[in-house]
Amino acid sequence: MPFFSLHQAQQCFFLYSPKPLSKFPRARTLFFLCSKMSSNSNSLQNYPTPLSPPLPSISKDIELARAMSASSKSSLFGLSRSDILYEDEWLIAVNKPQGIYCDTILASVPRFLSDSAPSDRLCEGNQASTLELHLANRLDRDTSGVMVITKSHKVASVLVKAFTNHKVQKTYVAFCIGSAPKSERITIKSGHGRSKFGAWRVYAAGDVGRKLPGGSIVRDMETTFEVLSINGQQNYKEQSECVKDEEHSIVVEEKAITDVDANKDEILVRAFPRSGRTHQIRLHCQYLGFPIRGDVKYEGVYEWKGRTYDAHELHAESLTFQHPITGFPLLIQAPLPLWASQALQLLTD
């Protein structure tokens, strides 16, 4: 039953008059307004319910400070040869640093190409200034790793289509703090969308396709996680040794149950996102009970073992796709950041 305030109930008083509504013009208007309010209330009740928690109150100020710091760093940033992972006449792949915006990377490419161009190319009229540069993929501000930039509209169209059709294989590495999963490989399928307050949230898989406040719809998202280590111990098999029967699948239909009193473990995971939704890996880590360290927006710890973390620890490790022009398979890998290489080093010591 729709809820009405006392003020709204007083306005609806005329609906109960024994006299015909035609003698009360204002009553006819109020009847229309009350019907509209009832209709709006019912439509609100029909919106899907987000299943992941809202943004923590602590995240607002921390995220603002991080954004200001990133803006300052981005204003001074310039690409160097060491940032380039791959380049040909159609593509350039960059290892994006943590805390730098994607648009800053894109804006710095023309200058880098001009500065690094051979003298004969410069004599031809500075090819860099005529390129049609596009971001083929985007990374969050604090996510590091592989970013691909295309050099023409045609190449951009082909590569964007490949991303859309899930023809690009992606791997990420994340350092998480939370309850260690019991399975060595987990595949989670859920819905994804913005709540009425604009935050990205996890929705039930059964809500995919349903309308959300603001007019958007719930879209599907799927991620497979491989647990690399728990508390510095390699308890699980290598990826090549894992068999399908050992993979645990989760289809999200209800809110996750998190034990706040459970011990917190240090968990290094590799993620294989099939879709490419905004904050997908971060949301799925939160839902599974092991949010990424430093990811205050999605309940990740801000302080851990006496240290404060200024960013979340998520790295876009690799992209594999068919070259949009040559058709040959192309694997682009980014070196691991210090936090990831140190965690992996513990497994070999």
Side-chain angles (χ1 to χ4, degrees):
M1 181 177 180
F3 175 79
F4 293 92
S5 66
L6 178 60
H7 176 67
Q8 291 170 334
Q10 290 171 337
Q11 284 186 313
C12 295
F13 172 79
F14 292 103
L15 292 175
Y16 300 96
S17 170
K19 295 185 180 182
L21 287 177
S22 59
K23 295 185 178 181
F24 295 93
R26 184 166 179 259
R28 290 199 301 271
T29 302
L30 288 171
F31 178 79
F32 170 76
L33 291 174
C34 288
S35 297
K36 189 173 182 180
M37 285 189 291
S38 176
S39 174
N40 288 342
S41 177
N42 286 331
S43 65
L44 282 174
Q45 291 176 346
N46 288 330
Y47 284 132
T49 302
L51 302 182
S52 57
L55 302 185
S57 57
I58 190 177
S59 68
K60 184 177 180 180
D61 291 339
I62 294 175
E63 282 294 309
L64 177 59
R66 289 178 177 179
M68 293 177 65
S69 174
S71 295
S72 178
K73 287 173 62 177
S74 295
S75 66
L76 302 173
F77 179 78
L79 273 179
S80 65
R81 175 52 62 182
S82 62
D83 296 319
I84 307 304
L85 302 173
Y86 174 86
E87 185 187 2
D88 60 25
E89 59 185 294
W90 303 285
L91 303 170
I92 181 169
V94 176
N95 184 18
K96 186 185 93 65
Q98 186 183 67
I100 300 294
Y101 290 104
C102 286
D103 291 332
T104 299
I105 303 290
L106 181 64
S108 65
V109 170
R111 182 168 185 175
F112 168 78
L113 293 176
S114 296
D115 292 345
S116 61
S119 57
D120 56 340
R121 281 174 58 188
L122 290 174
C123 294
E124 292 174 3
N126 193 356
Q127 180 184 354
S129 64
T130 63
L131 294 175
E132 302 159 339
L133 300 174
H134 299 270
L135 291 172
N137 67 312
R138 283 185 171 271
L139 299 176
D140 296 334
R141 177 194 66 216
D142 292 333
T143 300
S144 57
V146 182
M147 249 185 66
V148 176
I149 297 166
T150 59
K151 297 181 179 180
S152 74
H153 295 316
K154 178 184 177 181
V155 176
S157 176
V158 175
L159 200 49
V160 167
K161 186 176 181 180
F163 274 96
T164 303
N165 294 336
H166 310 308
K167 301 296 185 182
V168 179
Q169 287 75 52
K170 297 164 279 187
T171 69
Y172 288 72
V173 176
F175 197 109
C176 307
I177 305 294
S179 299
K182 297 179 181 179
S183 301
E184 57 193 69
R185 283 175 69 87
I186 306 165
T187 293
I188 177 172
K189 302 177 183 180
S190 73
H192 169 272
R194 284 189 185 274
S195 66
K196 63 181 178 179
F197 299 111
W200 295 106
R201 308 280 288 279
V202 172
Y203 287 83
D207 286 332
V208 171
R210 293 183 60 188
K211 190 175 180 180
L212 292 167
S216 62
I217 64 170
V218 178
R219 300 188 182 277
D220 66 302
M221 65 175 174
E222 177 181 335
T223 311
T224 295
F225 291 96
E226 174 192 355
V227 180
L228 301 177
S229 71
I230 298 174
N231 297 324
Q233 300 296 314
Q234 186 177 14
N235 296 335
Y236 298 135
K237 302 175 184 177
E238 296 294 336
Q239 180 184 351
S240 59
E241 298 176 350
C242 294
V243 296
K244 188 69 176 178
D245 292 342
E246 294 174 338
E247 184 173 308
H248 178 53
S249 295
I250 298 172
V251 179
V252 174
E253 294 296 348
E254 58 187 20
K255 290 186 177 181
I257 300 175
T258 303
D259 185 358
V260 295
D261 297 323
N263 292 331
K264 292 187 182 297
D265 300 298
E266 295 182 346
I267 309 156
L268 186 68
V269 299
R270 176 173 283 118
F272 306 83
R274 182 177 181 274
S275 44
R277 309 302 178 202
T278 304
H279 300 176
Q280 173 172 329
I281 296 171
R282 298 164 64 187
L283 283 163
H284 274 165
C285 284
Q286 178 194 31
Y287 183 88
L288 291 171
F290 47 84
I292 298 171
R293 185 165 65 181
D295 193 3
V296 293
K297 182 172 283 189
Y298 299 114
E299 300 186 307
V301 295
Y302 176 56
E303 297 178 339
W304 181 250
K305 294 185 175 180
R307 178 183 166 186
T308 299
Y309 289 84
D310 297 325
H312 64 248
E313 295 183 325
L314 177 63
H315 178 69
E317 180 185 32
S318 73
L319 289 177
T320 305
F321 55 92
Q322 189 178 64
H323 194 287
I325 300 299
T326 68
F328 293 125
L330 183 61
L331 168 63
I332 302 174
Q333 288 184 296
L336 292 175
L338 185 60
W339 58 262
S341 58
Q342 287 178 338
L344 289 174
Q345 182 64 36
L346 291 175
L347 302 181
T348 60
D349 289 345

